[in-house]
Amino acid sequence: MSRDKAFYLTTPIYYVNDAPHIGHAYTTTAGDVLTRWHRQRGERVWFLTGVDEHGQKVMRTAEANGVAPQEWADRLVESAWLPVLETIDAANDDFIRTTSTRHTERVQGFLQRLKDAGEIYEGTYDGPYCVACEEFKLPGDLVDGEGEHAGQKVCPIHGRPVEQVSETNWFFRLSAYAEPLLRHYEDNPTAVAPLSAYNEVVSFLRGGLQDLSISRSTFDWGIPVPWDPSQVVYVWFDALLNYATAVGLGDEEGTPGAEQFASTWPADVHLVGKDILRFHAVIWPAMLMAAGLPLPGQVFAHGWLLVGGEKMSKTKLTGISPDQIVDHVGSDAFRYYFLRAIQFGSDGSFSWEDMSARYTAELANGLGNLASRAAAMVGKYRDGALPEATAYSDAELTLQSLLAETAATADECVLRLDFAGGIAAVKAFIDAVNLYVTEQEPWALAKDEANAQRLSTVLYTICESLRAIAVLYHPLMPKATASLWEQLGADVALGPIGEQPVQTAGEWGRLPAGARVTKGAILFPRLEDPVE
Ligand code: MSP
């Protein structure tokens, strides 16, 4: 592994059968916060997201809309999947499309290598297939249907009947990898997280694996199998490879692709929803093992956003578009809400009421109010020049040690993807600063010139606390914190906020006295009436 290997994080690539809902935006948001955090730790980062364009699900949607699958995919990418990245303010480094030649050619190269190595053979598949999951199912996976599907066996995730597939296909010797995978997970207990996901994978592997059909012959929307163009590559086999093709998989030594691969692969974290855990923690590492490639550091399975207790989904017409929320509260509050309110790794329900309540209490009143009061007071009492702190009392020293603790806790939490824990720590610090303002009553101190030094110390303490809060919250809320940074005069005094290391955010006294503090735009404006 190259010494300057990037911290490499991926999201799943999303099916382009429809536009994104907040369940999709949730994964990308989490990935964006984590990668921004690593960037602010001074690491080189590579953040990949993209779209999954092949397979029957996309093909059928295109047909139903009377257009060719490629045209449908192009349309959805341009009108929905690229714009949503702007909507949620994601700073991805790359965007992969599985119909791009950089992907299709490398997939074919990979497949050919596995074939040459004896890992692929011809066989017949006869069994159920769920098009919504794009997955071959075992009869035992299915459940009894309800309502219009009563009396039928249906997919447990989509509640819809499966299709019977009977084809001659190419098979991958997946069964050979159950034991090696079990050993890998025994040796690397954090390679799948959280623990519930790890346990699920290990117990699944203990039951043994069947070989996997990796091609389809009854339709042609996919990557042709290089030695048998009458078949297309199974959409998951094609899709999983995106994580490696996007960074140069299989390119000849000395080429830019090979260099990128050496300095990026393996991925440090694959973020996935729990419904696609097995693909990522069983099939994908087996494919890599078969090719002799290093395995990813971790597959992290997050929970579902639920509606009425069920997974939010377009299939069930319960999807809420990210625009609907961002138009109302802004991208920062969108990012804040989902990572704060739902423990990453568990399911959670979205409600407008809960989001509005947290927005008002925690963002508008908690942080926003503190920031505008600080700027107003430095403006009024010190003509906008940040005063120097002279003698610290116990109240300031307590706040300073709480800050050091907060920054350490936030770093430790975010590095293990406990976003809610990291946010709770920073929020507790904000509450402590607000309490400090109430107790110190700078407006009362300002009434008597004899308290001038004390007032300076209090004002400095509030602004320096806000400096640290801005740095620690920047990965989560890039826009509001950039505005706060400017209001504190910190951009001139300390440089761009995105370059402030999170490791030293908790050190006291970084914002120099004399910084120009100005009252800028309100960070979190009062909400208009809810949209629903
Ligand atoms: N194309 C495959 C992934 C291939 S990755 C090599 C796929 N696409 S998807 O569009 O159906 O889903 C992408 C991701 O969105 C999955 O991680 C899935 O868990 C996530 N979500 C879809 N609905 C969701 C919720 N309601 N809640 C949270 N995440 C959800 O699967």
Side-chain angles (χ1 to χ4, degrees):
M1 194 187 304
S2 150
R3 230 169 4 104
D4 67 340
K5 191 189 118 41
F7 174 79
Y8 181 29
L9 180 130
T10 68
T11 73
I13 50 171
Y14 305 99
Y15 287 127
V16 293
N17 60 315
D18 213 331
H21 61 60
I22 55 177
H24 307 118
Y26 177 57
T27 321
T28 310
T29 300
D32 191 58
V33 173
L34 186 61
T35 45
R36 285 181 190 257
W37 189 270
H38 278 268
R39 282 195 202 102
Q40 269 185 248
R41 296 184 103 251
E43 295 166 37
R44 198 166 68 78
V45 164
W46 198 250
F47 175 26
L48 174 73
T49 185
V51 284
D52 192 351
E53 302 176 86
H54 292 131
Q56 266 167 306
K57 175 147 121 169
V58 172
M59 187 185 78
R60 287 187 186 170
T61 311
E63 277 168 3
N65 285 276
V67 294
Q70 186 67 64
E71 189 187 334
W72 177 260
D74 290 349
R75 225 190 253 178
L76 264 285
V77 167
E78 286 308 319
S79 68
W81 289 97
L82 286 174
V84 75
L85 297 171
E86 300 258 317
T87 303
I88 63 170
D89 204 9
N92 52 303
D93 296 289
D94 194 5
F95 183 89
I96 180 109
R97 295 186 57 171
T98 54
T99 53
S100 58
T101 26
R102 68 167 167 151
H103 176 72
T104 56
E105 287 179 358
R106 288 172 180 146
V107 168
Q108 288 185 321
F110 181 87
L111 223 70
Q112 188 65 58
R113 276 198 303 281
L114 288 201
K115 172 87 173 7
D116 295 345
E119 297 281 343
I120 292 177
Y121 65 93
E122 196 168 30
T124 51
Y125 179 78
D126 211 338
Y129 187 85
C130 171
V131 175
C133 294
E134 293 282 17
E135 185 177 14
F136 300 97
K137 301 279 182 185
L138 296 171
D141 294 336
L142 307 178
V143 296
D144 290 327
E146 288 172 11
E148 58 170 320
H149 303 306
Q152 287 174 288
K153 288 286 181 192
V154 300
C155 162
I157 297 175
H158 295 93
R160 291 187 163 188
V162 289
E163 298 178 18
Q164 204 60 27
V165 169
S166 180
E167 288 185 35
T168 298
N169 296 144
W170 294 98
F171 280 73
F172 167 53
R173 293 191 195 283
L174 182 62
S175 57
Y177 293 95
E179 280 304 318
L181 282 170
L182 270 173
R183 277 198 300 277
H184 170 68
Y185 289 130
E186 270 156 25
D187 295 345
N188 299 277
T190 57
V192 176
L195 189 60
S196 53
Y198 177 86
N199 290 337
E200 181 194 321
V201 169
V202 167
S203 85
F204 181 73
L205 285 169
R206 289 208 177 113
L209 296 174
Q210 298 196 348
D211 288 350
L212 176 72
S213 162
I214 56 149
S215 69
R216 304 294 306 276
S217 62
T218 49
F219 60 93
D220 64 359
W221 181 234
I223 303 174
V225 172
W227 62 90
D228 177 6
S230 71
Q231 304 244 352
V232 293
V233 179
Y234 167 47
V235 63
W236 269 101
F237 210 82
D238 155 356
L240 287 163
L241 279 164
N242 91 87
Y243 303 129
T245 61
V247 293
L249 170 73
D251 283 14
E252 254 173 64
E253 213 162 306
T255 60
E259 235 165 76
Q260 188 186 14
F261 196 76
S263 63
T264 315
W265 192 257
D268 293 85
V269 182
H270 289 310
L271 284 187
V272 301
K274 65 180 185 182
D275 48 325
I276 57 172
L277 173 64
R278 285 187 201 170
F279 292 102
H280 285 82
V282 176
I283 299 177
W284 178 226
M287 289 163 66
L288 291 164
M289 278 179 176
L293 290 168
L295 305 191
Q298 181 174 73
V299 174
F300 192 103
H302 65 69
W304 286 338
L305 301 192
L306 306 175
V307 175
E310 285 191 52
K311 181 183 175 217
M312 175 182 295
S313 89
K314 286 279 173 172
T315 324
K316 293 188 175 160
L317 303 176
T318 51
I320 301 173
S321 134
D323 287 318
Q324 243 181 303
I325 296 176
V326 172
D327 285 350
H328 189 51
V329 296
S331 56
D332 283 336
F334 177 95
R335 298 160 64 98
Y336 178 87
Y337 176 71
F338 286 104
L339 295 186
R340 154 89 173 126
I342 303 167
Q343 184 65 43
F344 203 59
S346 306
D347 293 346
S349 294
F350 166 78
S351 92
W352 286 102
E353 291 72 26
D354 185 38
M355 188 181 65
S356 307
R358 284 187 195 270
Y359 178 97
T360 302
E362 299 176 13
L363 295 179
N365 295 344
L367 175 57
N369 213 12
L370 177 64
S372 58
R373 281 207 290 177
M377 290 191 290
V378 176
K380 187 163 167 198
Y381 305 136
R382 293 292 183 269
D383 285 332
L386 183 68
E388 199 167 339
T390 41
Y392 287 126
S393 73
D394 278 353
E396 287 83 36
L397 295 176
T398 306
L399 217 48
Q400 292 172 17
S401 63
L402 179 62
L403 173 62
E405 227 175 84
T406 300
T409 306
D411 192 35
E412 187 253 317
C413 285
V414 176
L415 292 184
R416 55 183 169 79
L417 282 69
D418 176 8
F419 301 106
I423 296 169
V426 179
K427 186 196 165 282
F429 179 68
I430 295 172
D431 291 344
V433 181
N434 268 320
L435 186 65
Y436 169 84
V437 177
T438 309
E439 286 175 354
Q440 300 305 316
E441 299 186 308
W443 47 89
L445 293 173
K447 288 188 182 136
D448 186 347
E449 196 45 39
N451 296 324
Q453 280 204 347
R454 182 72 200 136
L455 176 61
S456 291
T457 299
V458 172
L459 293 178
Y460 182 84
T461 297
I462 302 168
C463 291
E464 170 61 359
S465 298
L466 281 165
R467 186 274 312 154
I469 293 163
V471 174
L472 293 172
Y473 264 172
H474 186 58
L476 180 66
M477 297 190 282
K479 288 181 180 145
T481 49
S483 165
L484 173 57
W485 195 245
E486 253 179 58
Q487 294 182 29
L488 293 170
D491 50 341
V492 176
L494 298 171
I497 187 167
E499 291 171 17
Q500 307 300 314
V502 286
Q503 299 96 317
T504 52
E507 288 174 10
W508 193 260
R510 302 185 75 82
L511 190 61
R516 298 300 311 170
V517 180
T518 49
K519 203 163 161 53
I522 303 236
L523 297 185
F524 301 101
R526 205 176 251 287
L527 290 185
E528 303 299 325
D529 290 334
V531 284
E532 276 192 352

